[in-house]
Amino acid sequence: LWDGIFGEVYFVGETLRQMTPLILAGLAVAFAFRTGLFNIGVEGQLIVGWLAAVWVGTSFGDLPKFIHLPLAVIAAAMAGALWGFVPGLLKARFRVHEVIVTIMMNYIALQASNAIVRDVLTDRKERTDYVAESASLKSPFLESITDFSRLHWGIIIALACAFIMWFLLEKTSRGYELRAVGYNQNASQYAGMNVNGNIILSMVISGAFAGLAGSMEALGTFGYASIKGGFTGVGFDGIAVALLGGNAAIGVIFAALLFGGLKVGALNMPLDAGIPNELVDIIIALIIFFVASGYIIRYMIQRFRKKGVK
């Protein structure tokens, strides 16, 4: 596992490449958590963001890169935001639990994107054409210094988004309102805050982060969209990344680095040591278990303290 992460410069580049969408998926989950919501639909939002980025990336090929690339990235963010808007609206207006809605919308995103790839973007093919060079995040410079790994400029976007999340939640009045609504909706409404508007806004921003995660795969790692037999798993890994990172921007970065290293290092284990790479999935499961048990232990301690006071 160690050799598969740090044994060669190539593996270091692949680890950074793997952590790029994990950072954004983790930010999507963490942002919703910080505002009192559980966005389990990051996977679906990532898929529609992936599709939107490829759609724009394979069109408008005559545009210059400084227009085409931002346009593709923004399209992915807007698609993810739209996919997050629906559960946010249902939660705000009708108090429909976001977990149920986002789970269902994951499957809608998967099947709808497959249908669009098959019947709209291609003529019954398994995948689309590659995105135009003017819409690609690929970096010959980063590839060359990492022994031709698939590391791309998306890592800069992911780190910038982590800073944006921190600044928005910790340094702005809007972020204070979003966190306040997450802590106590009744108190926030009594203080004059727009509770329903902040719920919708939270899911929209969370979905935008997830859509950007899809654009990292679409414009950087793969460069195309294909018919998927199942979920990518990146969106669900984002839940673990957010939990391990304590729902903080800096924590998400380090948690994504750990998970990216585990996933890339696991590829070498069967070849070099005859150890099945499923062992890494067990390690990840144990990490989630112990992180979750920490919340349970703190809850139990608080309950016992309250009983002691009584």
Side-chain angles (χ1 to χ4, degrees):
L1 179 63
W2 181 265
D3 290 342
I5 302 173
F6 300 107
E8 298 178 16
V9 177
Y10 171 84
F11 296 132
V12 175
E14 280 296 298
T15 297
L16 295 175
R17 191 271 312 167
Q18 182 71 45
M19 73 177 281
T20 300
L22 288 175
I23 289 175
L24 290 162
L27 292 176
V29 177
F31 192 92
F33 270 143
R34 293 287 298 276
T35 56
L37 300 169
F38 187 15
N39 184 9
I40 204 171
V42 172
E43 181 71 24
Q45 294 149 15
L46 180 149
I47 289 173
V48 297
W50 188 329
L51 180 67
V54 170
W55 198 329
V56 174
T58 53
S59 310
F60 317 113
D62 54 343
L63 289 176
K65 187 159 190 169
F66 71 91
I67 296 178
H68 198 187
L69 178 56
L71 189 64
V73 173
I74 291 171
M78 291 181 63
L82 178 63
W83 220 250
F85 171 79
V86 175
L89 178 65
L90 293 176
K91 172 78 171 182
R93 293 294 300 274
F94 305 106
R95 294 297 178 252
V96 180
H97 204 290
E98 71 275 7
V99 170
I100 304 301
V101 179
T102 50
I103 287 175
M104 292 190 293
M105 291 192 70
N106 282 338
Y107 290 94
I108 296 173
L110 176 64
Q111 302 303 335
S113 66
N114 283 346
I116 292 173
V117 169
R118 182 176 58 248
D119 299 326
V120 178
L121 297 184
T122 67
D123 184 16
R124 296 282 173 174
K125 295 180 181 178
E126 292 296 317
R127 67 171 183 85
T128 65
D129 296 331
Y130 284 99
V131 299
E133 183 63 30
S134 57
S136 176
L137 282 169
K138 292 183 180 297
S139 168
F141 169 72
L142 294 178
E143 291 175 1
S144 64
I145 64 174
T146 55
D147 200 14
F148 299 99
S149 72
R150 292 177 292 174
L151 181 61
H152 51 79
W153 291 120
I155 186 66
I156 306 299
I157 297 176
L159 295 175
C161 286
F163 174 79
I164 290 171
M165 173 181 157
W166 169 81
F167 185 82
L168 176 62
L169 288 178
E170 304 295 342
K171 300 297 180 180
T172 65
S173 58
R174 175 61 69 182
Y176 176 81
E177 285 192 20
L178 289 169
R179 288 186 289 119
V181 170
Y183 283 128
N184 191 317
Q185 292 186 10
N186 294 326
S188 300
Q189 189 167 12
Y190 181 77
M193 298 178 187
N194 185 351
V195 172
N196 289 343
N198 280 304
I199 289 174
I200 295 173
L201 179 62
S202 174
M203 287 300 296
V204 166
I205 295 175
S206 177
F209 282 138
L212 286 173
S215 72
M216 300 299 102
E217 302 290 74
L219 307 177
T221 303
F222 297 100
Y224 59 84
S226 62
I227 295 176
K228 297 175 177 60
F231 294 123
T232 66
V234 175
F236 298 117
D237 288 337
I239 299 173
V241 169
L243 285 173
L244 184 60
N247 299 321
I250 187 66
V252 166
I253 292 173
F254 286 111
L257 178 60
L258 172 63
F259 277 67
L262 287 172
K263 289 184 174 294
V264 171
L267 302 177
N268 251 21
M269 289 164 56
L271 301 175
D272 291 353
I275 300 172
N277 53 19
E278 287 81 6
L279 182 62
V280 166
D281 294 327
I282 297 174
I283 294 172
I284 292 174
L286 287 172
I287 291 172
I288 298 171
F289 175 80
F290 285 115
V291 170
S293 67
Y295 290 103
I296 297 171
I297 292 170
R298 282 195 293 271
Y299 173 76
M300 297 301 295
I301 290 174
Q302 290 174 356
R303 290 292 300 272
F304 284 129
R305 284 178 178 173
K306 288 180 180 179
K307 288 182 179 180
V309 170
K310 293 178 181 178

